[in-house]
Amino acid sequence: MEADSLSAERARRAQRRPRIRRRRILAAAALRRKDEMKPEPVKQIDRAEHADIYALYERATLAEVRRREIIAAERAPISWHLIYSVPQAERLAEEYLRRIGCEVFIPTWIFKRRLRKKEVERHVPLYRNYVFVGVTGQSFAEIEGCKGVLETVRIAGVPVAIPETIVGDLMLAVELRCFVMDYRTGWVKRVRPGTPAAAFERFRVGEWVKVIEGPFQGHQAQIVMAPKRDHVKVLMSIFGRENQTDMPLDALEPLS
């Protein structure tokens, strides 16, 4: 039995030996390839030997910088206008307008929603299908030829010019998140920076509401928990007893 076990062990080692040898060969080949791929050391050039070349390069660099400064100084100031985009294609129009060198600004407000137990923010255009375009020499035919653009907003055939102060004020308001949804009225409002979002919730804890739909239409109830998604928990008197129940937000309205 012992002789059989020894012969079996020798057979297993003999089978393993080619695999081990093959692995070593592959590892050595990989190391050789790695050494071959190493970049050659950069040869240092003596600046004194090529002083004329360096001087020519510096003069060319200074000339290019000066040329760009002249172009920037001669560039016409930005003139802001308004374009009407294809429905839900504001971002597409922005991409192609930037390709031709236009400045683009899309005022947005932040819409928050809960998705898979996480609060997700989405930037929604404040003025749907309208995009502010800063023109720096481009023709309106070129602008209207961009993908996603329908037409330039005009009055009596003349493109409407938007004062730069108004555009700058809107940019600052968007950056400070001054545009919020007032869920009590259903309109987006501009507020002062730092205003708590709870001030604009449709229903607040402790507030009395009226049921306008469903089997309890006409009853009054009190909000006992903050709204979650499309439902809210209310306290309602039913058959002489106070009960807490979930009601859809669309079935309630605040008491005036």
Side-chain angles (χ1 to χ4, degrees):
M1 294 293 293
E2 186 175 353
D4 294 341
S5 62
L6 287 174
S7 60
E9 181 65 24
R10 288 173 184 170
R12 283 195 295 271
R13 289 181 181 178
Q15 292 176 356
R16 289 173 54 191
R17 201 171 291 123
R19 291 199 298 268
I20 295 173
R21 188 181 299 113
R22 186 164 55 252
R23 290 174 187 171
R24 289 176 180 173
I25 293 172
L26 292 175
L31 288 175
R32 285 197 299 272
R33 286 197 300 270
K34 187 175 181 181
D35 292 337
E36 292 173 358
M37 292 176 63
K38 286 184 179 178
E40 296 182 0
V42 179
K43 184 180 178 181
Q44 297 295 329
I45 300 176
D46 188 0
R47 184 158 184 158
E49 295 180 1
H50 306 278
D52 54 343
I53 297 177
Y54 276 96
L56 182 62
Y57 173 76
E58 289 177 356
R59 286 197 299 271
T61 303
L62 292 174
E64 177 64 19
V65 172
R66 181 58 181 163
R67 187 183 70 85
R68 293 186 181 186
E69 289 178 352
I70 294 173
I71 292 175
E74 294 178 351
R75 182 179 295 171
I78 295 178
S79 175
W80 287 96
H81 298 272
L82 204 60
I83 64 105
Y84 191 74
S85 72
V86 175
Q88 300 181 357
E90 297 90 351
R91 297 299 178 186
L92 179 65
E94 177 186 10
E95 178 184 350
Y96 281 86
L97 286 168
R98 290 191 186 279
R99 290 185 183 182
I100 64 173
C102 293
E103 295 287 335
V104 183
F105 171 56
I106 302 177
T108 58
W109 64 280
I110 297 176
F111 172 71
K112 296 182 179 180
R113 58 172 299 188
R114 294 193 65 83
L115 183 64
R116 296 179 181 176
K117 298 183 180 180
K118 292 183 180 180
E119 193 174 70
V120 180
E121 292 185 352
R122 187 165 66 93
H123 293 263
V124 181
L126 186 64
Y127 308 109
R128 289 192 178 276
N129 304 336
Y130 287 97
V131 178
F132 291 88
V133 180
V135 181
T136 56
Q138 297 84 0
S139 66
F140 287 100
E142 188 177 6
I143 291 173
E144 292 176 349
C146 289
K147 198 171 183 178
V149 178
L150 282 180
E151 60 182 355
T152 305
V153 177
R154 303 170 185 263
I155 294 180
V158 180
V160 177
I162 310 297
E164 191 171 356
T165 53
I166 294 179
V167 179
D169 181 60
L170 280 173
M171 288 181 175
L172 182 61
V174 171
E175 182 179 354
L176 297 177
R177 298 191 171 196
C178 293
F179 293 105
V180 297
M181 169 63 79
D182 187 352
Y183 291 98
R184 304 177 69 81
T185 62
W187 293 91
V188 177
K189 287 186 176 181
R190 179 172 178 173
V191 299
R192 292 183 178 180
T195 304
F200 301 97
E201 291 179 354
R202 186 178 178 187
F203 299 111
R204 307 173 193 171
V205 176
E207 184 178 16
W208 285 89
V209 295
K210 181 180 179 181
V211 182
I212 58 175
E213 293 180 3
F216 302 107
Q217 184 176 359
H219 285 67
Q220 294 184 4
Q222 188 178 23
I223 306 295
V224 294
M225 288 185 65
K228 292 183 179 179
R229 293 190 179 181
D230 56 350
H231 282 72
V232 64
K233 190 175 288 295
V234 300
L235 181 66
M236 184 185 305
S237 178
I238 304 174
F239 303 119
R241 297 179 59 185
E242 292 187 342
N243 297 279
Q244 291 189 11
T245 182
D246 288 337
M247 296 288 293
L249 295 176
D250 296 337
L252 303 174
E253 68 176 11
L255 286 175
S256 56

